[in-house]
Amino acid sequence: MKIYIASSYGYWGNFVPSDLFERTSKDIQIGGGETAMLQLAINLAANKSNDVTVFYDVDYYGDYYGVHFLPTSMFIQMACITDFDVLVSWDAPHLLRFCDRAKAHVL
């Protein structure tokens, strides 16, 4: 199942998803909404039949814990030209106004 998770969070600034689990010398604060979003994405990706992409502005884009992280600026283009199964709009109801190609929407 191809799952897109798009968020308008970013109150705490950019971070690297590994900041949630690994202690570093950086003083990072990750809010509850971001933590929940990351945990959901990681748990969905644990099922190898799921292909999970999160559109969120992190410090370094790429794959973390089986989840693809892309810039939020890529969401509209990706959602409107690729077929996918589920769109999870994480605190971003305005993203549902686009002509995305998801089969199901979760707000």
Side-chain angles (χ1 to χ4, degrees):
M1 181 177 301
K2 190 170 190 142
I3 303 167
Y4 284 176
I5 301 173
S7 173
S8 64
Y9 280 135
Y11 312 122
W12 303 107
N14 296 358
F15 59 88
V16 177
S18 59
D19 291 337
L20 187 62
F21 304 106
E22 301 167 14
R23 299 280 185 215
T24 65
S25 59
K26 290 188 341 182
D27 185 20
I28 297 295
Q29 182 174 1
I30 302 174
E34 290 91 342
T35 300
M37 177 185 66
L38 290 173
Q39 291 285 9
L40 173 69
I42 291 166
N43 283 298
L44 287 170
N47 180 338
K48 297 302 179 195
S49 67
N50 290 337
D51 180 13
V52 181
T53 302
V54 172
F55 294 90
Y56 188 87
D57 292 324
V58 296
D59 282 342
Y60 306 104
Y61 299 104
D63 293 353
Y64 297 88
Y65 309 105
V67 178
H68 313 294
F69 285 85
L70 295 175
T72 55
S73 62
M74 290 182 66
F75 170 75
I76 297 170
Q77 295 90 333
M78 294 286 292
C80 292
I81 64 171
T82 58
D83 292 323
F84 58 106
D85 299 298
V86 179
L87 168 59
V88 178
S89 173
W90 200 275
D91 194 39
H94 62 281
L95 296 178
L96 299 177
R97 72 178 189 248
F98 298 105
C99 57
D100 66 82
R101 300 176 63 129
K103 296 174 186 169
H105 296 94
V106 178
L107 180 60

